[in-house]
Amino acid sequence: MADRALLVLEDGSVYSGQAFGAAGRAYGEVVFSTAMTGYQEMLTDPSFAGQILVLTYPLIGNYGINDIDIESRRIQVRGLVVREQCDLPSHWQSKSTLHEYLASQGIPAIARVDTRALTRRLRSAGVMMGTITGDETPDEALGRLRGLPGYGSIDFVRE
């Protein structure tokens, strides 16, 4: 069974789930998308640079990753949050799984999160920073997050 992971928001909210993608931590502005398709394009879209992307569609990864649907040379998000991730893609152009793609570029992700409840939280409370972690308590993660630079203070164009 995969390791437990947490998403901790700057307001102290905690969402528990299952780690996939790369091992490690990520932090960034937590944003969401309600799109039903296009996860590969969103991951590589420079407009998502430095953010943790929450996808509300319940199954992500079912058509895998191909060489065609990329928006830039690398994954731009810092982390990914999904309800359920699929390890058996079914599209004929698929070259790898979502897990493999994220891991190959050092991007941590978390599955088994109620992404719709998380989205409602973000809609009502507003934009927040967050962190994905697998080796800290919620309080430790929140303390670390509060010591990191805010999203607006980072030059993502230069990065």
Side-chain angles (χ1 to χ4, degrees):
M1 181 164 182
D3 293 331
R4 178 185 73 93
L6 300 173
L7 171 67
V8 178
L9 301 181
E10 69 180 283
D11 71 353
S13 301
V14 178
Y15 297 84
S16 183
Q18 181 181 49
F20 75 104
R25 300 173 181 167
Y27 90 97
E29 181 181 52
V30 182
V31 298
F32 64 88
S33 172
T34 59
M36 293 174 62
T37 62
Y39 56 84
Q40 183 175 344
E41 292 89 342
M42 286 183 272
L43 291 172
T44 58
D45 184 340
S47 70
F48 287 112
Q51 296 175 322
I52 294 175
L53 179 60
V54 178
L55 299 175
T56 61
Y57 191 75
L59 179 63
I60 302 297
N62 54 322
Y63 54 84
I65 302 295
N66 64 53
D67 295 331
I68 300 165
D69 296 324
I70 56 172
E71 301 290 319
S72 64
R73 290 178 287 194
R74 65 179 175 85
I75 295 175
Q76 299 291 327
V77 302
R78 286 189 175 163
L80 181 65
V81 181
V82 302
R83 174 69 184 156
E84 182 180 349
Q85 64 101 11
C86 176
D87 273 332
L88 297 171
S90 59
H91 196 278
W92 66 275
Q93 291 178 316
S94 177
K95 300 288 187 196
S96 69
T97 66
L98 177 59
H99 166 74
E100 292 165 340
Y101 186 55
L102 293 167
S104 74
Q105 294 193 36
I107 307 298
I110 180 172
R112 297 190 179 166
V113 171
D114 185 345
T115 57
R116 293 177 188 216
L118 173 53
T119 297
R120 284 191 302 273
R121 178 108 187 131
L122 294 171
R123 280 187 172 155
S124 64
V127 174
M128 282 188 262
M129 295 294 285
T131 184
I132 295 173
T133 184
D135 63 348
E136 297 170 293
T137 67
D139 288 339
E140 290 169 337
L142 183 59
R144 179 177 51 80
L145 179 62
R146 289 186 172 154
L148 295 169
Y151 184 76
S153 67
I154 301 169
D155 184 355
F156 291 105
V157 173
R158 184 177 307 261
E159 249 186 53

